[in-house]
Amino acid sequence: MCGIVGYLGKRQAAPVLIDGLYALEYRGYDSVGIALSDGSTLKIIKKIGRVKEIESARAERGMVGIGHTRWATHGDVTAENAHPHTFRGITLVHNGIIENAEKLKKQCIEEGETFASETDSEVIAHLIAAEYRGDLLDAVRRGCARLVGSYALAVLCEGEPDTVVCARMRSPLIVGKAKDGLVVASDIPAVAEKDASLYSLEDGDFARLKGDEIEIFNAAGEKTLRERMEFDLEDGAADRRGYRHFMRKEIDDIPEVLRASKEEIDRSFCNLDLYRVLCQTEYIQVVACGTAYHSGLCFQAALERVCRIPVEVDIASEYRYMDPIVRRGTLLIAVSQSGETADTLAAVRLAKRRGAFVIAVVNVKYSSLARLADAVLYTRAGREVAVAATKSFNAQLMALYSIVEAFAAVKGRRVPTLSHIERRAARTIAAAEGVRGWVPYFVGAKSVYFIGRGVDMCTALEGSLKLKEISYLPSEGYAAGELKHGTLALIEPFTPVVAILTRRDIAEKTMNAVHEAYARGASIFLVTCFEEFCTEKEIASSVLIPKCPSDFSPILSVIPLQLLAYYVSIARGNDPDKPRNLAKSVTVE
Ligand code: AGP
């Protein structure tokens, strides 16, 4: 996924574009570029690296422009592959993947055209140029008609220097009127300002920005209007509030996020239609990716134990190709922080086509998932800037546990309460600072293992992902009882093993795995709410967290693991907010 932005109006475009790209860096930061037009000439500045690499372009002149921050999909991270791409007077930026790009490129080359890059995006410029007869909107529509795949485009043309044409197909794109001009962007934070009117394009839409007018056309070519988006400038504000990294701030945000999310979810459940859906539910499926997938596993562990209702949890990129069985009465819960993850959206579209009722648990209003679902439970995590999900995971659990509570009410089952959870989360964060002492054991480790049983295994999976994605250390989350069936062979002296232990009835069983790893030289670290295990001789160090209903324990037990990943990442000299190779929202397949 990448971030695109565009502007035309009374201000110089460069500062608007560059500031917008900073707000979109969470979508990718391999390379960056802008194109500026002053009405007669078009200038392109593009570099490898982050937005700061083009700060020198801030003074460039031009009242019309487009910009792009890239997460590489087709083509290496090179200046040539950076956007914008240009061909015969057409210049564009693109977010998405064109699946038939190679075939189209071959046709262009056979017609004698040459390419400056390895990207699929440049092919689009060639197609539009071939269709251009003096009407950019028409040329973009014709060019896009030949594409298979996903795209969000902003296009400039030498022949129409006062115009920006946009197109959207399965990659988010918003257009709007801001102060002194018109804007287009992948996401609200890039263009949000007081009194701005922003509109989310739908799949198949085209838009023409010219003068002070925005024209939107639907897939049938009919002029149309789109819903004005409400947004809270605070939500979009990327303010570190004095923290060194967003990730550390976002972990500290967790108590307030839990309070706000619970308040929002309770409001949603005032709508009795949701209870009616739960009453009519025969089967439950959950689809998600990454951290959101782990929150789905935590939900499954809780709902099955509390309400005795079976739950199927699938990785979205698997679900969509496994020819899933969607029986009558299936409720599909799609979990996504961004609401733009391509695999999750595709899985939801498939489930809907097969008759499922879809509830989305999502953090971003007006996201594609929020608009696709039949019902939405918004988490109130606020904007999560760090690529590694932290507060959004805890917020997802708050929402999912609320669904467990609702099912328990419908089924007449007792359910543990999460009262004062924000206070317990704050105490957990304070206790978890102790993981700083663990860092020397981890920073040079060859591999790290997180183990647990039942719901603690779900937490182990999330702790492992956190560590991997920002410290780049090989790590595995594992069922504690499974270690001895093979993976124990990888345990060497001083291999760090983190055990999560929040269920008292199987604590000794988890400790068996601890003993087995310890006997082979592992250094054992414990996250638990049972103090008696912290003093066992096998434990090198532990974090004692507040008690919490064990079925809901990941909402707290994950916090020490989030902090551990953060501190190991910075100890290894990484940027925990922008880890290599990754991006916050994976809007491509
Ligand atoms: C988690 O830290 C990662 N950022 C990643 O696994 C993420 O959870 C996944 O890409 C799903 O994103 P979503 O919640 O926006 O759908």
Side-chain angles (χ1 to χ4, degrees):
M1 63 319 319
C2 308
I4 70 175
V5 65
Y7 172 81
L8 68 87
K10 300 185 180 69
R11 286 184 268 171
Q12 291 302 323
V16 178
L17 299 177
I18 292 171
D19 292 340
L21 289 174
Y22 275 120
L24 294 174
E25 258 191 327
Y26 73 90
R27 303 175 65 84
Y29 31 85
D30 292 329
S31 61
V32 62
I34 60 173
L36 294 166
S37 167
D38 61 7
S40 54
T41 56
L42 182 116
K43 183 167 190 178
I44 293 177
I45 303 110
K46 57 187 189 176
K47 300 252 180 80
I48 293 175
R50 295 183 180 172
V51 177
K52 67 179 189 314
E53 299 303 329
I54 61 166
E55 266 299 337
S56 58
R58 192 175 281 270
E60 294 288 346
R61 313 296 291 170
M63 321 278 260
V64 183
I66 55 178
H68 184 277
T69 183
R70 183 178 184 230
W71 182 72
T73 52
H74 284 71
D76 299 342
V77 179
T78 63
E80 293 75 18
N81 290 337
H83 299 217
H85 292 291
T86 190
F87 182 73
R88 287 186 189 156
I90 298 295
T91 301
L92 60 78
V93 288
H94 167 230
N95 173 34
I97 283 191
I98 305 307
E99 292 166 12
N100 62 338
E102 283 312 310
K103 177 166 157 275
L104 294 167
K105 184 169 184 173
K106 192 164 174 288
Q107 290 168 359
C108 292
I109 291 169
E110 283 165 1
E111 287 160 19
E113 296 176 6
T114 57
F115 283 77
S117 77
E118 306 161 311
T119 67
D120 56 343
S121 306
E122 187 188 353
V123 176
I124 308 173
H126 285 245
L127 300 187
I128 295 171
E131 298 292 347
Y132 186 68
R133 308 269 183 286
D135 179 340
L136 181 58
L137 174 65
D138 185 55
V140 172
R141 189 199 308 281
R142 291 173 185 276
C144 289
R146 296 174 62 191
L147 300 177
V148 175
S150 60
Y151 52 82
L153 294 175
V155 187
L156 299 178
C157 170
E158 261 174 13
E160 300 176 41
D162 60 349
T163 301
V164 178
V165 168
C166 316
R168 175 204 159 131
M169 179 57 75
R170 293 211 297 279
S171 280
L173 197 61
I174 59 180
V175 295
K177 293 192 174 186
K179 181 164 54 91
D180 306 337
L182 306 180
V183 293
V184 53
S186 299
D187 195 358
I188 290 177
V191 291
E193 61 179 55
K194 194 171 173 310
D195 303 330
S197 302
L198 303 177
Y199 308 89
S200 177
L201 297 184
E202 303 279 349
D203 285 348
D205 280 359
F206 294 86
R208 177 163 50 199
L209 283 59
K210 184 171 182 176
D212 61 0
E213 190 186 8
I214 298 174
E215 299 167 282
I216 299 175
F217 303 88
N218 62 19
E222 300 148 345
K223 208 166 186 180
T224 186
L225 296 172
R226 291 298 173 215
E227 182 188 2
R228 187 168 184 273
M229 304 168 82
E230 298 300 323
F231 59 89
D232 177 341
L233 279 174
E234 281 312 301
D235 270 357
D239 171 9
R240 266 209 301 253
R241 290 203 322 264
Y243 284 82
R244 184 179 166 199
H245 298 105
F246 281 107
M247 183 176 176
R248 186 65 191 80
K249 174 186 90 66
E250 288 159 1
I251 291 170
D252 276 355
D253 287 346
I254 288 171
E256 172 50 24
V257 160
L258 294 179
R259 186 206 60 74
S261 295
K262 182 67 176 151
E263 183 184 82
E264 177 78 23
I265 302 293
D266 286 349
R267 199 171 20 246
S268 303
F269 271 103
C270 290
N271 169 356
L272 296 181
D273 290 346
L274 264 180
Y275 280 98
R276 193 171 301 120
V277 168
L278 302 189
C279 290
Q280 291 161 2
T281 295
E282 298 292 329
Y283 306 96
I284 301 172
Q285 295 178 338
V286 179
V287 294
C289 302
T291 288
Y293 168 68
H294 295 153
S295 69
L297 293 175
C298 296
F299 168 70
Q300 174 190 42
L303 188 67
E304 291 189 345
R305 276 177 53 87
V306 171
C307 295
R308 313 307 295 157
I309 302 173
V311 181
E312 174 193 329
V313 185
D314 291 298
I315 292 170
S317 56
E318 289 296 302
Y319 182 90
R320 59 183 298 202
Y321 295 115
M322 62 199 252
D323 193 11
I325 299 161
V326 180
R327 290 169 286 197
R328 177 190 298 276
T330 291
L331 166 65
L332 183 111
I333 299 172
V335 187
S336 174
Q337 186 283 129
S338 65
E340 299 297 348
T341 299
D343 288 322
T344 306
L345 293 171
V348 167
R349 290 189 187 101
L350 174 58
K352 284 193 74 165
R353 282 199 300 272
R354 296 192 178 188
F357 185 93
V358 177
I359 292 179
V361 173
V362 65
N363 192 43
V364 177
K365 284 191 182 300
Y366 299 99
S367 59
S368 299
L369 179 59
R371 289 183 291 130
L372 188 58
D374 299 303
V376 185
L377 290 178
Y378 282 111
T379 54
R380 288 271 303 279
R383 188 167 169 220
E384 187 172 66
V385 177
V387 166
T390 50
K391 62 177 181 175
S392 64
F393 175 71
N394 302 76
Q396 285 163 2
L397 292 180
M398 196 78 238
L400 292 166
Y401 293 155
S402 299
I403 296 176
V404 174
E405 289 171 353
F407 266 115
V410 162
K411 304 285 183 188
R413 296 191 66 102
R414 280 171 42 75
V415 61
T417 65
L418 275 171
S419 57
H420 312 305
I421 189 64
E422 59 270 23
R423 280 214 295 268
R424 283 186 269 184
R427 285 171 35 212
T428 303
I429 293 168
E433 275 299 321
V435 300
R436 281 174 181 259
W438 300 5
V439 171
Y441 294 86
F442 286 76
V443 70
K446 268 173 64 180
S447 59
V448 178
Y449 299 90
F450 293 79
I451 62 172
R453 286 177 191 266
V455 70
D456 292 332
M457 192 196 85
C458 307
T459 309
L461 293 174
E462 176 56 15
S464 174
L465 176 60
K466 282 288 94 50
L467 186 70
K468 273 186 285 194
E469 65 178 318
I470 62 175
S471 75
Y472 316 151
L473 281 173
S475 166
E476 273 199 87
Y478 228 80
E482 189 63 8
L483 209 54
K484 57 186 175 294
H485 296 289
T487 300
L488 200 61
L490 296 178
I491 301 295
E492 297 172 344
F494 308 113
T495 298
V497 173
V498 181
I500 300 99
L501 197 159
T502 65
R503 264 186 60 183
R504 189 64 191 82
D505 59 328
I506 53 173
E508 282 73 14
K509 300 298 181 193
T510 299
M511 289 306 290
N512 286 346
V514 164
H515 300 148
E516 289 152 10
Y518 178 78
R520 284 142 184 95
S523 301
I524 308 290
F525 300 87
L526 184 62
V527 174
T528 185
C529 48
F530 306 115
E531 191 165 6
E532 68 260 39
F533 295 102
C534 297
T535 53
E536 301 250 342
K537 69 173 171 46
E538 295 84 357
I539 305 303
S541 180
S542 61
V543 168
L544 183 62
I545 63 175
K547 284 209 170 21
C548 165
S550 64
D551 293 324
F552 297 157
S553 65
I555 205 165
L556 297 180
S557 59
V558 75
I559 293 172
L561 311 185
Q562 294 167 337
L563 272 175
L564 174 64
Y566 171 74
Y567 287 121
V568 173
S569 173
I570 52 180
R572 287 171 56 87
N574 299 344
D575 176 351
D577 287 342
K578 295 194 180 71
R580 69 185 183 195
N581 305 343
L582 301 179
K584 184 66 181 172
S585 171
V586 187
T587 61
V588 295
E589 298 174 7

